[in-house]
Amino acid sequence: QVQLVESGGGLVQAGGSLRLSCRTSGTIFRARDMRWYRQAPGEQRELVAVATSDGTANYGDSVKGRFTISRDNAKNAVYLQMNSLKPEDTAVYYCNADFPRGTYWGQGTQVTVSS
């Protein structure tokens, strides 16, 4: 059973930084596209960033220039470096990855940015 586990969330002041990690277990296959989503209370889940299997990174407009997605293919891990955080970045952040047998989600990690 493929499992994705996020870590690195927490409470930070506006302007600060956090680095989220997502590690995969339960598979011998390399992940294809790996993504970070977030969901704020009362809001729809939003795509934050994508790291494709060929090394391309894409970002949502609200995080461009502040967030950086990266991946370690040997570990089937994906990371999200978040800089210049704003209160509106407060949300539960989820990682998501495509594998040959389907798409899997982590359980989420809370990020809270205080003003």
Side-chain angles (χ1 to χ4, degrees):
Q1 178 74 11
V2 178
Q3 290 188 318
L4 279 66
V5 179
E6 302 98 336
S7 61
L11 173 64
V12 64
Q13 288 188 333
S17 298
L18 283 174
R19 185 175 186 257
L20 305 183
S21 299
C22 174
R23 290 176 170 81
T24 304
S25 62
T27 180
I28 62 171
F29 296 104
R30 174 177 161 179
R32 295 168 179 168
D33 291 359
M34 304 186 81
R35 309 172 190 87
W36 286 97
Y37 284 82
R38 67 185 182 187
Q39 188 167 21
E43 302 289 333
Q44 290 190 335
R45 195 166 291 190
E46 172 191 16
L47 178 61
V48 175
V50 180
T52 67
S53 56
D54 64 0
T56 302
N58 293 292
Y59 300 92
D61 288 341
S62 61
V63 306
K64 281 181 182 176
R66 300 188 297 123
F67 291 10
T68 302
I69 190 170
S70 60
R71 58 189 288 171
D72 183 336
N73 291 325
K75 297 180 179 179
N76 260 348
V78 63
Y79 308 95
L80 188 67
Q81 178 66 42
M82 305 186 295
N83 298 329
S84 302
L85 283 161
K86 305 175 181 179
E88 51 263 44
D89 295 317
T90 295
V92 178
Y93 283 70
Y94 299 90
C95 67
N96 159 293
D98 297 334
F99 287 92
R101 294 188 176 183
T103 297
Y104 297 86
W105 291 85
Q107 82 291 348
T109 185
Q110 177 70 46
V111 170
T112 303
V113 184
S114 63
S115 56

